[in-house]
Amino acid sequence: MSFMPFIPFDRFACPLDLSPLTQTDTVFSCQQKHSFDKAQKGYVNLLPVQFKKTKDPGDNQKMVLARKSFLETGQYHFIIDTIIDFLFDFLSSPPSEPIYCVDAGCGEGYYLDQFQNLFIQKFPRTPLACLGYDISKEAIKKASARSKIIQWAVATNAHIPVLSQSVDYLFCFFGFPVPSEFYRILKKDGLLFLVEPAEKHLFEIREKLYSQIKKEDPYQLNMRNFPQFKHIKTFSLTKKMELLSDNDLFNLIAMTPHIHRASAEKIKATLQCSFPSITADIRINVLSPSEKS
């Protein structure tokens, strides 16, 4: 029998009571008889209506499509390269046991899909199970079309539908971390990768969109927000991105919160500007649980 590097993600928890979820055909259910149907597109909706603050939370279809289009230019691929290179150096030997990965707020699935592909290249004999979830159903629909190997779900960081102490690697790419939930699902030797914009990120665009820009770095990691974690390493990555088309500039703005924060007039004016390059200034903080027995 040939070796299969990809294995199903089987560590789901009921979002209502955190008891194990088991799958029968297209239905996920727990012992308390809570059940969740798997959609025809392959994802499962684990976001009960009582967890929603709006009818359709998360990014809308336009933001999802903009992010998908921009990321597929490969401009942010260096983020995954950095994480994979870190793991290759950090691990004393290739893992022999299956590795369980979760992307918290995975969007349309670009980062997790890239990670999965590169991880198997670096560690071809290590079984890998991946789950990506996002509060946006539109994003998860696109993620489901991207990969049929990864398990996708509609869910929220506030109630992560994953069993406690069951995850090896947890990713949060430009998202909204919930440290207590992240701590709960990570194994005692698990790793949390927080990928966040740093001070100069998209600086050229922000100069055009706003009359004043904060000089201090609002994204500096404050470990007081992560009391149950220890700091492992920080990567500071800076890259000059050359935008190949007008659509690239529009997509870059539309996939960020700036599309909502800046005025329509400022956005329109910025789209008329010519940028020789745009700065990507990104910080990756690697953390690990510090108090688990």
Side-chain angles (χ1 to χ4, degrees), residues 203-205 239-243 274-280:
F203 185 78
E204 297 84 354
I205 293 176
K239 173 188 175 182
K240 291 291 186 179
M241 301 183 295
E242 295 184 5
L243 305 185
S274 177
F275 296 95
S277 64
I278 302 292
T279 302

Side-chain angles (χ1 to χ4, degrees), residues 9-259:
F9 189 92
D10 56 3
R11 299 186 175 181
F12 282 106
C14 175
L16 294 171
D17 59 32
L18 293 183
S19 63
L21 277 181
T22 57
Q23 182 180 359
T24 304
D25 296 325
T26 59
V27 177
F28 290 76
S29 59
C30 71
Q31 292 180 340
Q32 303 302 318
K33 301 188 184 304
H34 301 129
S35 63
F36 308 87
D37 294 330
K38 192 172 185 178
Q40 287 186 342
K41 292 183 179 294
Y43 67 89
V44 57
N45 193 329
L46 298 175
L47 184 65
V49 65
Q50 56 266 47
F51 292 170
K52 295 182 180 181
K53 295 182 180 180
T54 61
K55 182 180 178 181
D56 295 305
D59 292 345
N60 59 33
Q61 187 178 53
K62 289 183 178 180
M63 288 188 73
V64 170
L65 290 175
R67 182 175 292 109
K68 181 177 185 294
S69 296
F70 183 81
L71 291 178
E72 287 179 352
T73 66
Q75 297 277 19
Y76 281 9
H77 197 280
F78 67 98
I79 297 173
I80 299 299
D81 287 337
T82 300
I83 292 174
I84 289 292
D85 289 344
F86 164 78
L87 286 174
F88 191 73
D89 294 336
F90 182 78
L91 299 172
S92 57
S93 61
S96 57
E97 296 296 318
I99 293 294
Y100 282 78
C101 299
V102 171
D103 186 351
C106 64
E108 77 307 319
Y110 172 82
Y111 295 109
L112 187 57
D113 187 41
Q114 294 296 317
F115 173 83
Q116 175 190 254
N117 294 335
L118 288 180
F119 185 89
I120 291 301
Q121 291 179 27
K122 289 282 190 179
F123 307 100
R125 304 299 298 177
T126 300
L128 183 67
C130 292
L131 165 68
Y133 70 83
D134 199 280
I135 200 170
S136 166
K137 185 184 291 187
E138 291 296 333
I140 293 301
K141 287 179 180 178
K142 287 290 183 282
S144 297
R146 179 183 294 277
S147 172
K148 301 301 181 184
I149 297 173
I150 298 171
Q151 177 65 65
W152 307 102
V154 182
T156 172
N157 281 347
H159 305 275
I160 301 177
V162 173
L163 295 174
S164 298
Q165 298 194 46
S166 67
V167 173
D168 296 283
Y169 306 145
L170 176 57
F171 307 108
C172 185
F173 295 98
F174 305 101
F176 301 93
V178 178
S180 59
E181 276 291 272
F182 286 3
Y183 176 82
R184 179 183 65 79
I185 69 171
L186 273 170
K187 295 179 180 179
K188 64 179 181 180
D189 57 350
L191 295 173
L192 168 60
F193 295 87
L194 291 173
V195 181
E196 301 172 310
E199 181 181 6
K200 295 295 184 180
H201 190 56
L202 308 185
F203 185 78
E204 297 84 354
I205 293 176
R206 290 189 289 131
E207 272 191 321
K208 301 293 184 181
L209 292 178
Y210 307 106
S211 57
Q212 186 174 4
I213 299 177
K214 294 180 180 179
K215 292 185 178 181
E216 72 273 12
D217 184 352
Y219 301 102
Q220 184 71 38
L221 178 69
N222 187 344
M223 287 301 296
R224 287 179 296 181
N225 296 329
F226 296 84
Q228 295 170 301
F229 288 86
K230 59 186 177 182
H231 177 261
I232 302 297
K233 192 174 182 65
T234 294
F235 295 93
S236 295
L237 310 175
T238 302
K239 173 188 175 182
K240 291 291 186 179
M241 301 183 295
E242 295 184 5
L243 305 185
L244 301 179
S245 70
D246 293 339
N247 283 338
D248 289 344
L249 178 59
F250 171 80
N251 290 330
L252 184 55
I253 296 174
M255 72 184 233
T256 70
H258 301 305
I259 195 67

